[in-house]
Amino acid sequence: MPSRLQGQSFDKTEMGRDELQQANHPYDYPRDMDLKPLSGFHQQLLERILRRARDSREVIQRRFDSWGKIDETLQSFIPASEKEQEVKDADSRKPVSIVIPISYANMKTLLTFWNAAFLSQPPVFKYRAVDPSDTVKALLLEAVVQFQQERAKMALALNTQWRDGFSYGMGIIAPVWETKHWKRTSTVRETFTSRQTGLPLEGPGFERRKHAVRYEGNRLDSINPYMYLPDPNVPIDQVQRGEYVGWLYRTNRFELLNQEIDGTGWFNAKYLSAIDGRSSLSRDLEGKDTSDNFSSVYKQAGGPVRRSDNLSDVIYMYVNLIPQEWKLGPEATPQKWFFAVAGDQVILKAQPLGLDHNMFPVVVNAPDFDGYSVAPVSMLETIYGMQEIVDFLMNSHIANVRKAVNDMIVYDPLMINTKDIKSPTPGKLIRSRRAGFGRDLRGSIFQLPVTDVTANHIPNLSYVSGVMRQIVGATDTLQGMAQQRGERVSAREAGAIIGSSVSRGQQGARITGIMAMQDLGYMLASHTQQMMSIDQYVQIVGRTEDELRDEFGLTSDVMVSPFDISVNFDVQPLDPTIPGAESVQTWLTVLQIMGQSEQLLAQYDVNRILQHIARLEGAHNLSDFRLKVQPTEQVMADVQAGNLVPAGEVV
């Protein structure tokens, strides 16, 4: 029996068929393929792409319910029940049920650690040359990629990937090469030769607008896990072994028209005005639009945003295929192709990927993967049940307190005026009825005793929260909070505690470095070598600065050409050691021992050890204070020119 999702997709292709049939826009399609919408070849290729997208969607959507619950734990506000809404309407100051954001706090703690591990010591991606003679080229490639990382603000996409990994069990990004053009206006003076004197003269200035490349380099696109379309036949950590991988991206037809105008291989965008651009894949089995599920801002807004008639859901899909079998070309060996489909009806792009690294340009981070699952259980899912306990303990306590602060009174309505008792004003006067005149009314009214059965909920809440932190590794020490273990804690004991906490965090960071960051670093460098077309200045920073200055005499700002980075390289494994994780005292002891041994001084670079100690303490610019020693030849030349004089001759 076909799923409801498949039924929706089939019905969707029937919508706008008449409009597509009547529309006629001339296009020169690549490889002489007939990709006019509704043509036989177009529909055959379209069905191949949609079938893979549906297969993936049917697997990934099973996680939506769990992900939706995780989204609620990452915000303190939850929709109030009807009864609680009545309480809030009566008195807006009274508290109602909330989510205690402990899961959110744990996630932020680990995110802080990941940022310190990967981003605190540039360059983020480190490369080494396969041939030792190409060391300079590898270091320059490292500097260019670091420049792109800063210019394209890749840290934002990396944070999104890590956050999604903690929340949903997977975080996905796609490295994309982009070229930004601009028109630069400059004033130019025309020169001519005087007929009388024969000397060159300058004429009046005029403005000239020049079309130039403003920036070219890598950028990182974040992929919403709700919209991810992996091959369900391979585990989450083995994307490159799959037959295909893709995702759904919501945009508008004007952006797609602009891409078509840029001449980057896009076509058929003019046909989008004839169809409903939304995809059936953006709906779950209940028919609810899931394209905004990941956004807590959307949920807090209380409803859907205004829908535009120009929305377009585009399926981006990379497929490893044999062109001959797909009738895409004569090639009989596997190739990776890129396809784009809008609104489940119109193919917008179909071309070989053509990347030198021959990998799907998709990087997945799954820090809690099990090695087998397509969509593994996330870290926050493992503590979701305990998060519910924490919310129950707090909300039941709030409900009990709210009930306790309201007087529960038993009274005789024949003796006491009911209206006066209901009055909420303090210091009120309660009148008796005529039957109570002259009588002792203390027996006609009394308050029921109130027992707080939730008195232990707050201590229990603290205990459960501590267990949650231990499970995910967001311990008090990692959060910067020191537990009291006695009157005094020795330095060795404190160091052991900190080291254990950091080691727990480093385990997950090391998995991320191997699974995601290493592949990402390779793709960024390969894209740069393949597609960089203009020379650009880069700033030499970090370890690259020390090596290039000390060993090769290069300055801090270097002009790099595509030829300068043509090198066979390897990506160095990322070290997730954060500043402060190593013992500075140990390194100082080592340095002291070395200072007493001429043999050790001859074998080790004391200057580099000193710089390492400074970085551990947070001082990353020690090289700025190094004395500038000029070569002897340069000094003698300056003396002869009068630029330098002996110190004794200075008056």
Side-chain angles (χ1 to χ4, degrees):
M1 178 178 178
S3 69
R4 184 173 176 181
L5 182 64
Q6 289 177 326
Q8 286 180 349
S9 181
F10 178 80
D11 294 341
K12 182 74 171 61
T13 59
E14 299 298 326
M15 298 174 59
R17 179 175 290 271
D18 293 339
E19 289 81 356
L20 277 179
Q21 192 73 43
Q22 297 174 4
N24 185 24
H25 301 287
Y27 281 100
D28 292 327
Y29 296 112
R31 295 195 171 198
D32 295 327
M33 295 183 291
D34 184 9
L35 291 175
K36 185 179 185 299
L38 300 182
S39 69
F41 179 74
H42 177 278
Q43 295 304 100
Q44 181 183 5
L45 184 59
L46 178 67
E47 181 55 33
R48 286 178 180 266
I49 300 169
L50 292 181
R51 185 170 66 249
R52 286 163 173 76
R54 294 170 193 151
D55 292 344
S56 177
R57 190 63 167 179
E58 287 186 1
V59 173
I60 208 72
Q61 69 186 359
R62 299 170 189 168
R63 309 286 289 117
F64 287 177
D65 289 341
S66 297
W67 291 354
K69 294 176 181 178
I70 295 301
D71 290 336
E72 292 181 355
T73 65
L74 296 179
Q75 56 188 8
S76 59
F77 172 82
I78 59 176
S81 64
E82 184 177 347
K83 186 175 181 180
E84 288 179 325
Q85 190 61 49
E86 293 177 358
V87 173
K88 205 69 176 176
D89 292 340
D91 188 350
S92 60
R93 297 169 297 178
K94 290 185 177 181
V96 293
S97 297
I98 61 173
V99 171
I100 309 300
I102 295 179
S103 294
Y104 175 81
N106 291 332
M107 180 193 67
K108 294 294 286 186
T109 299
L110 294 177
L111 269 179
T112 302
F113 183 92
W114 256 247
N115 273 269
F118 293 120
L119 303 179
S120 63
Q121 301 182 51
V124 176
F125 303 100
K126 301 176 178 63
Y127 305 99
R128 60 188 173 206
V130 175
D131 186 345
S133 63
D134 290 332
T135 300
V136 173
K137 291 186 175 182
L139 293 176
L140 291 177
L141 175 63
E142 185 177 286
V144 172
V145 173
Q146 176 64 21
F147 168 75
Q148 296 173 4
Q149 187 264 330
E150 296 172 354
R151 182 70 179 269
K153 302 179 182 178
M154 293 185 189
L156 300 179
L158 290 174
N159 270 270
T160 301
Q161 183 190 40
W162 300 335
R163 184 186 190 278
D164 289 343
F166 297 140
S167 303
Y168 309 116
M170 65 176 78
I172 312 100
I173 54 177
V176 179
W177 185 267
E178 68 173 352
T179 302
K180 295 183 178 180
H181 296 86
W182 67 339
K183 290 183 179 180
R184 182 177 179 180
T185 302
S186 58
T187 302
V188 180
R189 289 188 180 276
E190 185 178 6
T191 60
F192 58 92
T193 303
S194 172
R195 294 181 178 178
Q196 298 177 351
T197 63
L199 298 176
L201 298 176
E202 290 188 351
F206 63 93
E207 292 185 350
R208 174 186 295 172
R209 300 192 68 186
K210 184 179 180 181
H211 191 73
V213 175
R214 180 182 181 185
Y215 167 76
E216 66 171 7
N218 289 284
R219 76 164 191 268
L220 300 182
D221 288 345
S222 299
I223 298 175
N224 175 8
Y226 282 97
M227 301 291 107
Y228 185 45
L229 301 173
D231 184 346
N233 299 306
V234 295
I236 188 67
D237 61 305
Q238 300 182 18
V239 178
Q240 302 303 329
R241 290 181 55 190
E243 179 193 354
Y244 65 90
V245 65
W247 65 95
L248 192 67
Y249 172 67
R250 173 156 288 183
T251 180
N252 59 78
R253 68 184 182 93
F254 303 114
E255 180 183 355
L256 298 173
L257 284 168
N258 287 332
Q259 290 180 330
E260 185 176 285
I261 295 173
D262 289 341
T264 53
W266 292 74
F267 48 81
N268 282 343
K270 296 177 182 178
Y271 287 99
L272 298 182
S273 60
I275 66 170
D276 179 0
R278 289 174 293 178
S279 171
S280 62
L281 298 182
S282 65
R283 297 180 175 274
D284 57 19
L285 289 178
E286 287 74 31
K288 178 183 176 182
D289 194 338
T290 60
S291 59
D292 295 304
N293 274 5
F294 70 101
S295 173
S296 59
V297 176
Y298 167 83
K299 291 192 171 187
Q300 291 178 0
V305 296
R306 182 181 66 85
R307 299 300 181 189
S308 169
D309 294 336
N310 296 302
L311 285 178
S312 289
D313 291 334
V314 182
I315 298 174
Y316 290 164
M317 183 166 290
Y318 300 99
V319 183
N320 195 16
L321 55 85
I322 297 178
Q324 193 177 80
E325 295 179 356
W326 284 49
K327 300 180 181 179
L328 295 171
E331 295 86 357
T333 56
Q335 285 185 350
K336 288 183 172 63
W337 278 60
F338 172 65
F339 301 98
V341 176
D344 298 347
Q345 301 183 68
V346 179
I347 297 177
L348 300 178
K349 197 167 188 178
Q351 67 179 28
L353 191 55
L355 295 175
D356 288 350
H357 54 65
N358 197 32
M359 302 167 66
F360 294 132
V362 173
V363 178
V364 179
N365 173 41
D368 297 286
F369 80 109
D370 56 10
Y372 307 101
S373 302
V374 180
V377 175
S378 71
M379 177 199 71
L380 296 188
E381 284 184 88
T382 61
I383 60 174
Y384 176 74
M386 303 188 77
Q387 176 70 56
E388 287 186 313
I389 294 176
V390 169
D391 296 339
F392 168 77
L393 292 175
M394 175 59 75
N395 291 326
S396 59
H397 181 67
I398 291 175
N400 191 75
V401 172
R402 191 171 61 221
K403 180 178 68 174
V405 297
N406 292 324
D407 296 334
M408 292 185 293
I409 299 174
V410 178
Y411 72 100
D412 185 353
L414 295 177
M415 307 294 289
I416 305 297
N417 190 300
T418 302
K419 184 176 181 181
D420 290 346
I421 291 179
K422 288 184 176 181
S423 175
T425 59
K428 58 189 174 185
L429 299 176
I430 301 177
R431 295 167 294 179
S432 68
R433 292 187 178 275
R434 186 178 298 275
F437 287 178
R439 297 187 180 185
D440 185 357
L441 299 178
R442 284 177 293 182
S444 302
I445 181 172
F446 66 92
Q447 181 173 349
L448 292 176
V450 177
T451 303
D452 186 4
V453 296
T454 65
N456 292 324
H457 280 202
I458 300 303
N460 291 338
L461 186 151
S462 178
Y463 171 76
V464 177
S465 301
V467 175
M468 294 173 66
R469 289 195 294 270
Q470 292 178 5
I471 291 175
V472 302
T475 59
D476 292 341
T477 306
L478 205 60
Q479 293 182 1
M481 300 183 295
Q483 294 183 357
Q484 187 65 32
R485 299 177 180 270
E487 293 183 1
R488 293 190 60 185
V489 179
S490 66
R492 183 177 296 275
E493 181 182 1
I497 295 171
I498 295 174
S500 299
S501 299
V502 171
S503 297
R504 177 78 182 274
Q506 284 178 345
Q507 185 272 338
R510 188 168 286 109
I511 293 296
T512 295
I514 297 172
M515 183 186 302
M517 299 295 286
Q518 194 164 341
D519 283 352
L520 178 60
Y522 187 84
M523 293 181 191
L524 295 178
S526 180
H527 290 178
T528 302
Q529 287 185 329
Q530 180 179 355
M531 288 173 274
M532 179 176 170
S533 61
I534 60 174
D535 298 351
Q536 57 184 240
Y537 274 105
V538 296
Q539 187 174 14
I540 308 301
V541 296
R543 76 176 188 99
T544 309
E545 177 184 11
D546 298 334
E547 294 189 24
L548 290 179
R549 282 182 175 178
D550 295 343
E551 300 178 24
F552 307 106
L554 298 181
T555 59
S556 58
D557 293 317
V558 180
M559 174 68 79
V560 181
S561 69
F563 174 78
D564 295 331
I565 59 175
S566 178
V567 57
N568 189 12
F569 67 91
D570 285 330
V571 181
Q572 293 191 19
L574 275 74
D575 180 12
T577 302
I578 65 172
E582 297 183 46
S583 173
V584 176
Q585 186 60 44
T586 300
W587 278 105
L588 291 175
T589 303
V590 170
L591 192 62
Q592 183 179 5
I593 295 174
M594 292 178 58
Q596 300 172 358
S597 172
E598 294 184 0
Q599 183 179 0
L600 292 177
L601 289 176
Q603 294 180 3
Y604 295 93
D605 191 334
V606 177
N607 180 47
R608 289 178 179 269
I609 295 176
L610 186 61
Q611 292 188 33
H612 180 68
I613 295 174
R615 291 194 185 100
L616 292 179
E617 287 291 285
H620 297 279
N621 61 336
L622 187 62
S623 59
D624 292 346
F625 304 96
R626 184 184 303 174
L627 294 174
K628 308 297 184 182
V629 180
Q630 293 183 339
T632 303
E633 296 79 3
Q634 181 65 38
V635 173
M636 296 302 297
D638 288 340
V639 170
Q640 293 179 0
N643 298 327
L644 295 176
V645 296
E649 298 181 5
V650 178
V651 181

